[in-house]
Amino acid sequence: MLRSMYSGISGMKNSQTKLDVIGNNIANVNTTGYKKAMVNFQDMMSQTTSGAQGATATRGGVNASQVGLGSTIGAISNIHTQGFQQVTNNPLDFAIEGDGMFVLVEGVDANGGTTNIDLDNVTTAYSRAGNFFLDDNGNIVNSQGLYLVGFVGDPPQESTINIPETAQSFSVQSNGTINYIDANGDTQVAGQVALASFSNPSGLQKAGNNLYLDSPNAGLADQLYTPESENLGSSVVSGSLEMSNVDLSEEFTEMITAQRSFQANTRIITTSDEILQELVNLKR
């Protein structure tokens, strides 16, 4: 009876964790660039009451007898499928079609100029949320003030992307190249958006504010790539944002499943308690 009660407790805890994850997914259904999470369960170590025995010359083999001790959380995985695009018509709203992430940094000297950024010596984050702005120096930044990294100059160097105050207008191509019209009416290149590639995006760590941090299991490529390059075929869509990949119908279905699982595990505890009560009443 005690084993069944502890198994029921483990099932209740796991169902609660699943409900927590589902609740967070639903809360971020309209969050730009959000990637949903999914919970996987696995069984715990079983108690062996008798071991397996192989066949002999006079008797056949016998299987092991084991009693399970409940379940545990196997993994909470982030699902990096493509979210749908929402058209905003804001030229500084970028959506990535395909793999890759925007690279954002802080702690660099970006007062209107370009800097050869050493990504190993600055705080670096990654994001699929492409809602960017221009700061007072003309640098492209996100809503937290982190600088968007791109390739600037000839030869190209990893740098912040700056659009001068004297620019009359600017445009963004699908390969991430940002052009602007200077004060003389000539077309100039401000830079090209850089994208980071990961062999295992699910290994990234969520840091809040639509940001991800690298981890030992994310598989960050040794270098950054440009959109529509040979190594990374993804493109950048200006005037659009990638929204959350959360499917509400799927989340509500999973919520019902988690709720029923929680209720079933409470029944295990209730039934085990009733049996224990009957054992106590035998003395009367």
Side-chain angles (χ1 to χ4, degrees):
M1 265 65 73
L2 291 179
R3 285 184 303 200
S4 62
M5 293 184 73
Y6 286 122
S7 295
I9 292 173
S10 68
M12 290 173 61
K13 288 182 178 179
N14 296 336
S15 297
Q16 182 60 58
T17 300
K18 184 172 183 177
L19 285 171
D20 294 339
V21 172
I22 293 172
N24 185 63
N25 287 341
I26 295 175
N28 287 281
V29 66
N30 289 319
T31 300
T32 305
Y34 176 80
K35 300 303 177 184
K36 66 181 180 181
M38 182 178 66
V39 179
N40 295 316
F41 299 137
Q42 63 185 24
D43 62 333
M44 296 179 67
M45 181 176 61
S46 298
Q47 181 177 359
T48 302
T49 58
S50 64
Q53 299 177 7
T56 65
T58 58
R59 180 175 296 182
V62 178
N63 294 328
S65 297
Q66 295 178 295
V67 179
L69 300 177
S71 63
T72 185
I73 299 294
I76 301 178
S77 306
N78 295 319
I79 310 301
H80 284 258
T81 56
Q82 183 88 34
F84 73 91
Q85 290 185 14
Q86 178 177 339
V87 177
T88 64
N89 294 321
N90 180 0
L92 283 178
D93 284 343
F94 301 159
I96 301 175
E97 281 191 348
D99 298 329
M101 285 192 167
F102 298 112
V103 183
L104 304 166
V105 296
E106 65 175 347
V108 299
D109 181 14
N111 294 322
T114 60
T115 305
N116 188 15
I117 299 175
D118 183 2
L119 297 179
D120 294 330
N121 294 320
V122 295
T123 302
T124 307
Y126 307 91
S127 179
R128 293 281 296 194
N131 48 323
F132 296 110
F133 312 90
L134 292 179
D135 66 3
D136 56 346
N137 291 321
N139 296 300
I140 299 180
V141 298
N142 74 344
S143 55
Q144 287 79 43
L146 301 181
Y147 298 104
L148 176 65
V149 175
F151 294 103
V152 177
D154 187 17
Q157 294 180 339
E158 296 171 0
S159 171
T160 60
I161 302 177
N162 181 272
I163 299 178
E165 295 181 358
T166 57
Q168 300 181 32
S169 63
F170 66 91
S171 61
V172 183
Q173 301 178 15
S174 61
N175 65 354
T177 300
I178 301 176
N179 300 315
Y180 68 92
I181 306 298
D182 62 16
N184 298 323
D186 298 325
T187 301
Q188 305 291 341
V189 178
Q192 188 173 11
V193 176
L195 297 179
S197 177
F198 298 88
S199 60
N200 177 32
S202 297
L204 292 168
Q205 297 181 13
K206 290 184 177 180
N209 297 320
N210 294 333
L211 301 177
Y212 293 86
L213 300 179
D214 188 20
S215 76
N217 197 41
L220 175 63
D222 294 332
Q223 63 184 37
L224 303 181
Y225 300 109
T226 57
E228 298 184 349
S229 64
E230 180 179 352
N231 296 313
L232 188 66
S234 304
S235 60
V236 172
V237 180
S238 176
S240 298
L241 289 175
E242 180 184 0
M243 301 304 292
S244 166
N245 64 349
V246 173
D247 184 344
L248 277 181
S249 60
E250 179 182 349
E251 297 301 320
F252 285 142
T253 302
E254 291 294 326
M255 182 188 298
I256 294 173
T257 302
Q259 182 182 9
R260 292 294 180 263
S261 175
F262 188 93
Q263 291 175 338
N265 281 282
T266 60
R267 295 292 187 270
I268 294 175
I269 298 176
T270 302
T271 302
S272 299
D273 177 63
E274 291 175 352
I275 295 175
L276 287 174
Q277 185 64 41
E278 291 296 329
L279 290 174
V280 171
N281 292 335
L282 287 177
K283 188 174 181 298
R284 298 180 181 178

